[in-house]
Amino acid sequence: MRTTLKLAVPALALAMLTGCTTGGVPTNSAATLDPTAAVSGEITVWSWDTAATALKRLAGTYTASHPGTTVNVVDVGYDNAYDKLSVGLQANAGLPDVVTVETDRMPGYIHQFPKGFTDLVPLVGAGTADFDQSKVSASTDAGGHLLSLPWDSGTVALYVRTDYLAEAGVDPASLGTWDQLVAAGERIKAATGKTLLSTDLSTGGLFQMMLQQQGKGLFTSAGDVDVSTREAVSALSIIKAMNDKGLLNNVKGWDGRVSAAKDGKSAVAPEAVWWAGTLTSEMPELAGKYAVVPLPAFAAGGARTSNNGGSTVAIPTQAKNPQLAGSFLSFVLANKDNQASMMAQEGLFPSYLPALDAPLFHEPQPYFSGQKAYELFAAQTRNIPSISYTSDNSKAGDIVANAVVASVLNHEDPAAALKSAADQIATATSRKIAQ
């Protein structure tokens, strides 16, 4: 589902996830799921907002074709979801049969509660390869157990104001690298007075998106701190260069990003696929002024996408009816027609790759002057680089965001700011710095 920025984990959930790794670990013996098992009875599913709407709709379809089953979808609200999940895992009681978890939250729960979730590999088998692999890696433990099933992806591309680029004589197809984009930004500002892009630097979101584009996260697969690498310095240096050249419009939060786009402050936006829904719903008057191109690469031949947002779905080991829960998850998430329907009706872009072959993803989009915009996102979803997460990602993310501000706004050398961030993360988490 849409993740507009790296939201802070609610206070109680954060305390749980950064506490003792042995406290509250469930002792339940996880069920072995059987995709051929007969199912009956009822399950309860926790989700929120649009995701809950989609699950309620498909729950009705599922129960109609599976007599004797009931699927109760409860919208627990985003603000309460992680507190409820953390408390339930810690107490080893009180959780439903199915829970929704954002992709970048799931690794923390896997680390903190290694026996808290049911292995879903039996549901999909070799079909694991049919899902966005960046999501699969975030949902898999060290033993190869798939502890949540990818739902939707936040595939990133570059949204461009074609009118501004045309006025500056910039061909959108020429924006092949970040260096080319910065150079184009100078031409655009000279011709139109507009900045290149609008972002909230205080979140560190743009930096982390650019880091993942290079196949790097905040930690290595071994759990070592990895924020002062050559790739990290390159990403932060580009952001700093854009600001030094007057090409960045620093805004505050989600509302600031939406307002900047609506007011036409900037020429491009490196955003996820869900941003298309924001454009069409919040600023229909700009129809025909946008196109989508792949994200600029760091070097020719490099990855031209990243990820921002998305979610997974898990079955706690406390589930009262795990076989029915597994059957329902397969129906919703490993079914291309159902996944395509969630894009059509709720705007949830599938992590299930076979669904991306549906006609919906190859249709001209009137808002984008007839461009087949979703076709571009569908192609790039297969190329999203996978990265490693730990239970300390949230803490590290806050420290890295401060380093971004120190370098970009306070003019600290990018390498020095990131080295300081690495030292702070190592001290705060008792983790080694990667060599």
Side-chain angles (χ1 to χ4, degrees), residues 57 87 143 268 329 386 396:
R57 176 176 61 80
V87 169
V268 307
L329 283 197
S386 297

Side-chain angles (χ1 to χ4, degrees), residues 110-164:
I110 291 173
H111 282 272
Q112 177 70 4
F113 303 100
K115 297 182 180 179
F117 302 96
T118 305
D119 184 13
L120 305 180
V121 168
L123 287 184
V124 294
T128 301
D130 288 334
F131 289 88
D132 175 349
Q133 292 302 292
S134 71
K135 303 290 183 182
V136 170
S137 64
S139 300
T140 304
D141 69 7
H145 304 104
L146 183 66
L147 299 180
S148 62
L149 202 60
W151 182 351
D152 62 308
S153 292
T155 312
V156 175
L158 191 70
Y159 295 79
V160 301
R161 282 289 301 260
T162 53
D163 51 343
Y164 294 170

Side-chain angles (χ1 to χ4, degrees), residues 178 182 197 199 201 204-211 232-245 247-248 298 404 407-409 414:
W178 282 99
V182 173
L197 62 87
T199 187
L201 291 168
L206 176 61
F207 170 77
Q208 288 201 48
M209 181 271 290
M210 295 172 73
L211 200 58
V233 172
S234 177
L236 186 52
S237 296
I238 289 171
I239 298 172
K240 184 176 186 300
M242 286 191 284
N243 191 65
D244 290 346
K245 294 174 183 292
L247 304 179
L248 279 187
F298 277 83
V404 171
S407 179
V408 179
L409 298 184

Side-chain angles (χ1 to χ4, degrees), residues 78 126 133 143-144 147 203 205 223 240 248 253 285 289 387 406:
Y78 181 86
Q133 292 302 292
L147 299 180
T203 70
K240 184 176 186 300
L248 279 187
E285 70 277 9
K289 295 184 177 181
I387 60 174

Side-chain angles (χ1 to χ4, degrees), residues 89 108 128 143 145 162 181 183 191 205 212 218 257 284-285 293 297-298 314 316 318 323 345 397 416:
L89 288 166
T128 301
H145 304 104
T162 53
L181 179 63
Q212 181 167 359
L218 304 182
R257 285 161 63 190
E285 70 277 9
V293 297
F298 277 83
Q318 356 177 337
Q323 299 296 349
Q345 298 194 42

Side-chain angles (χ1 to χ4, degrees), residues 143-290:
H145 304 104
L146 183 66
L147 299 180
S148 62
L149 202 60
W151 182 351
D152 62 308
S153 292
T155 312
V156 175
L158 191 70
Y159 295 79
V160 301
R161 282 289 301 260
T162 53
D163 51 343
Y164 294 170
L165 269 64
E167 187 174 346
V170 173
D171 180 356
S174 71
L175 306 178
T177 67
W178 282 99
D179 287 341
Q180 289 173 328
L181 179 63
V182 173
E186 294 183 273
R187 292 172 58 187
I188 292 166
K189 186 174 183 183
T192 68
K194 306 295 183 180
T195 56
L196 180 61
L197 62 87
S198 296
T199 187
D200 184 348
L201 291 168
S202 69
T203 70
L206 176 61
F207 170 77
Q208 288 201 48
M209 181 271 290
M210 295 172 73
L211 200 58
Q212 181 167 359
Q213 183 186 357
Q214 300 174 85
K216 290 283 188 177
L218 304 182
F219 298 93
T220 67
S221 58
D224 296 338
V225 181
D226 203 32
V227 302
S228 53
T229 60
R230 172 182 57 83
E231 292 86 353
V233 172
S234 177
L236 186 52
S237 296
I238 289 171
I239 298 172
K240 184 176 186 300
M242 286 191 284
N243 191 65
D244 290 346
K245 294 174 183 292
L247 304 179
L248 279 187
N249 175 35
N250 188 27
V251 300
K252 185 173 178 59
W254 171 252
D255 289 343
R257 285 161 63 190
V258 172
S259 295
K262 193 172 181 66
D263 294 341
K265 297 289 188 182
S266 301
V268 307
E271 294 280 9
V273 59
W274 41 256
W275 184 248
T278 301
L279 292 177
T280 56
S281 62
E282 299 280 348
M283 46 205 94
E285 70 277 9
L286 297 180
K289 295 184 177 181
Y290 271 101

